[in-house]
Amino acid sequence: MSAGPGAGAVTLGVIADDFTGATDVASMLVRGGMRTVQLIGVPAGDMSALGSAAAQADAVVVALKSRTTPAADAVAESLAAWRWLRNAGARHCYFKYCSTFDSTPAGNIGPVTEALMDELGTDFTIACPAFPENGRTIFRGHLFVGDQLLSDSGMRDHPLTPMRDSNLVRVLQAQCRAQTKVGLLRYDSVARGAAGVRQGVAALRAGGVRIAVADALHDADLRVLGDALGGLPLLTAGSGLALGLPEFYERQGLVQRRADAAEIGAMGGRAVVLSGSCSLATQGQVAHWRSAQRPARALDVRALLGQAASAAAEEAAVLAWARGVLAGGGVPLVHSTVDAAQLHELQGRWGAQAAGARVEQALAALARGLADAGVQRFVVAGGETSGAVVQALGVRGLRIGESICPGVPWTEALGAVSAGRTAAPMWLALKSGNFGAPDFFSTALAMAGAAGARA
Ligand code: ADP
């Protein structure tokens, strides 16, 4: 099929309310055959400043940090993101949030959706965080996490966005203006396929509904929704709805799905693993690496938080150790990962915020020092840690490659500038804490062609 009028331009512009969520939806689009780039925040310049990989993208995902910021800030940033995407040629807008609908009565899903509807001049959209493959289903407007209602799941006690009502129609209505009527696209309609969805939507619109929470129990339901509603100017959803969109766009002649959508070039250069996550999965991954006798060094967090001289000495010693391992052909792992008891002790003494920020700073500085030493492949564990590393390396965007595990792809850095080196390509695998099997680090390295590196 010809690529049609959209060839050479971005078809889909996605606004994601957090970094790992952005990677998640980007991986989904790549899986469907769309070349996808993830940008870290709204870029200052236009697409051409981001290089040819960005210019060829079928979908661009702008990663914001707007999930828990004040609603007015989230609205302003989301609008800025959409205006940038529209200028880059995006024809359709996708607002991506968490599959557990993480939000509060103040927002930000409702206010951002309303603002995007106003901006796009549209009077109807859907809200669908369902992702059955990952256990998130919606029935009669109620969100389930596995077999539990959202309000009975761990999300009940989330520190920032506790979700205590599973009825998404009610949750979303509370976040919206009174005149924005939120309704329900019932499973009865979805189960009747695309025609059923179109009929259901027509009835809802006739009844004045502007945002419809869509029921979905199976991944096939998401494909039906994509098929029936992919042409809407705005979709709001978790990453699941992106499952069926590439096919829809191809049928519309907007993209040509490609077998090489995940192509990010042959990875090379030295490789390191940096872990600033204390999540259980990461603890297991660090232990697994150590048990295989691979070179690992724990950051001395006490030294980092002590006198300036001891902190500087620790940073220098870790960098020297890692460089020594690299010189011997090995892959070093540096981690601040500790178990819960040790973490509580450190946090109790120095404060969680201060300790966390100092550890992030040290790992970010180490990443920079290692880039200067010729490292081009980085495996990083920890969401916040990844953000700090990406910033320190001057990475402005990521071309999304093949997934190492669901939601964690290898990526090629766009716009990386490390001191002392000119435009060496860099590849990053950024893993949020609880993702991945115990052998995640070695799996990632094997995919990057670094498996043969001496242990
Ligand atoms: P995750 O994805 O597992 O939540 P993050 O990187 O997002 O990981 O968050 C972990 C936070 O904990 C970071 O701010 C990090 O700097 C901090 N941290 C990591 N190790 C330690 C430690 N040993 N002591 C104190 N804080 C730590």
Side-chain angles (χ1 to χ4, degrees), residues 20-76:
T20 44
T23 311
D24 191 8
V25 69
S27 303
M28 188 71 81
L29 293 166
V30 167
R31 203 165 110 184
M34 286 172 77
R35 293 168 298 183
T36 304
V37 157
Q38 173 178 340
L39 304 179
I40 296 143
V42 184
D46 66 11
M47 199 68 135
S48 61
L50 294 164
S52 59
Q56 289 167 358
D58 303 305
V60 176
V61 182
V62 175
L64 300 178
K65 227 176 160 177
S66 57
R67 184 168 293 168
T68 54
T69 52
D73 296 350
V75 163

Side-chain angles (χ1 to χ4, degrees), residues 276-279 282 301 336-338 343 346-347 352 355-357 359-360 381-386 431-434:
S277 156
C278 298
S279 297
T282 309
V301 176
S336 64
T337 308
V338 288
L343 181 64
L346 289 162
Q347 289 180 330
V359 169
E360 283 173 34
E384 294 298 326
T385 306
S386 294
K431 183 193 85 82
S432 88
N434 268 323

Side-chain angles (χ1 to χ4, degrees), residues 176-192:
C176 289
R177 300 185 288 245
Q179 65 270 32
T180 302
K181 189 169 168 190
V182 180
L184 173 64
L185 180 63
R186 297 165 65 90
Y187 193 67
D188 318 56
S189 299
V190 179
R192 284 173 34 237

Side-chain angles (χ1 to χ4, degrees), residues 273 286 288-297 321 325 329-333 439 441-443 445-446 450-455:
V273 184
V286 170
H288 188 272
W289 178 275
R290 283 184 171 278
S291 71
Q293 314 295 326
R294 301 197 73 164
R297 176 161 173 146
W321 173 82
V325 174
V331 178
L333 159 69
D439 61 355
F441 297 147
S442 27
T443 304
L445 292 166
R454 200 176 63 83

Side-chain angles (χ1 to χ4, degrees), residues 14-370:
V14 183
I15 302 159
D17 69 355
D18 88 336
F19 187 87
T20 44
T23 311
D24 191 8
V25 69
S27 303
M28 188 71 81
L29 293 166
V30 167
R31 203 165 110 184
M34 286 172 77
R35 293 168 298 183
T36 304
V37 157
Q38 173 178 340
L39 304 179
I40 296 143
V42 184
D46 66 11
M47 199 68 135
S48 61
L50 294 164
S52 59
Q56 289 167 358
D58 303 305
V60 176
V61 182
V62 175
L64 300 178
K65 227 176 160 177
S66 57
R67 184 168 293 168
T68 54
T69 52
D73 296 350
V75 163
E77 281 177 35
S78 303
L79 288 176
W82 170 245
R83 288 171 190 150
W84 191 93
L85 289 163
R86 189 182 52 203
N87 285 340
R91 294 149 170 254
H92 297 277
C93 181
Y94 188 124
F95 171 36
K96 151 75 175 75
Y97 38 73
C98 189
S99 66
T100 41
F101 215 66
D102 299 15
S103 52
T104 70
N108 292 331
I109 296 175
V112 170
T113 301
E114 288 178 307
L116 289 170
M117 289 176 80
D118 292 346
E119 178 75 13
L120 284 146
T122 183
D123 66 354
F124 183 79
T125 189
I126 59 162
C128 186
F131 194 178
E133 186 182 319
N134 287 351
R136 315 290 195 262
T137 53
I138 308 175
F139 187 64
R140 298 288 187 257
H142 288 67
L143 179 59
F144 290 80
V145 177
D147 292 338
Q148 290 181 309
L149 279 166
L150 174 67
S151 51
D152 293 330
S153 76
M155 282 306 296
R156 182 179 174 77
D157 297 315
H158 189 279
L160 301 176
T161 52
M163 301 302 292
R164 302 209 163 161
D165 187 354
S166 308
N167 182 333
L168 299 185
V169 176
R170 202 158 50 203
V171 169
L172 189 52
Q173 185 70 72
Q175 296 178 22
C176 289
R177 300 185 288 245
Q179 65 270 32
T180 302
K181 189 169 168 190
V182 180
L184 173 64
L185 180 63
R186 297 165 65 90
Y187 193 67
D188 318 56
S189 299
V190 179
R192 284 173 34 237
V197 168
R198 284 192 206 98
Q199 273 173 19
V201 165
L204 288 166
R205 290 176 97 150
V209 168
R210 288 171 60 87
I211 310 175
V213 171
D215 278 349
L217 298 181
H218 308 284
D219 288 346
D221 298 330
L222 296 173
R223 292 182 189 278
V224 164
L225 289 167
D227 199 17
L229 304 174
L232 289 176
L234 173 68
L235 295 169
T236 88
S239 60
L241 193 66
L243 259 182
L245 289 180
E247 260 176 76
F248 172 82
Y249 295 137
E250 187 170 56
R251 278 202 303 279
Q252 299 295 308
L254 293 172
V255 296
Q256 271 180 305
R257 296 197 297 143
R258 307 171 60 105
D260 65 353
E263 186 53 63
I264 54 170
M267 294 185 244
R270 292 169 174 182
V272 297
V273 184
L274 303 176
S275 175
S277 156
C278 298
S279 297
L280 275 179
T282 309
Q283 289 182 37
Q285 288 152 358
V286 170
H288 188 272
W289 178 275
R290 283 184 171 278
S291 71
Q293 314 295 326
R294 301 197 73 164
R297 176 161 173 146
L299 267 181
D300 182 345
V301 176
R302 280 183 186 77
L304 287 179
L305 289 159
Q307 304 284 334
S310 73
E314 171 64 6
E315 289 191 321
V318 171
L319 178 59
W321 173 82
R323 291 184 70 140
V325 174
L326 290 166
V331 178
L333 159 69
V334 175
H335 65 90
S336 64
T337 308
V338 288
D339 65 22
Q342 291 171 280
L343 181 64
H344 285 146
E345 194 200 316
L346 289 162
Q347 289 180 330
R349 173 135 181 228
W350 281 283
Q353 285 287 354
R358 186 64 188 87
V359 169
E360 283 173 34
Q361 191 194 346
L363 287 171
L366 179 63
R368 221 183 145 85
L370 289 168

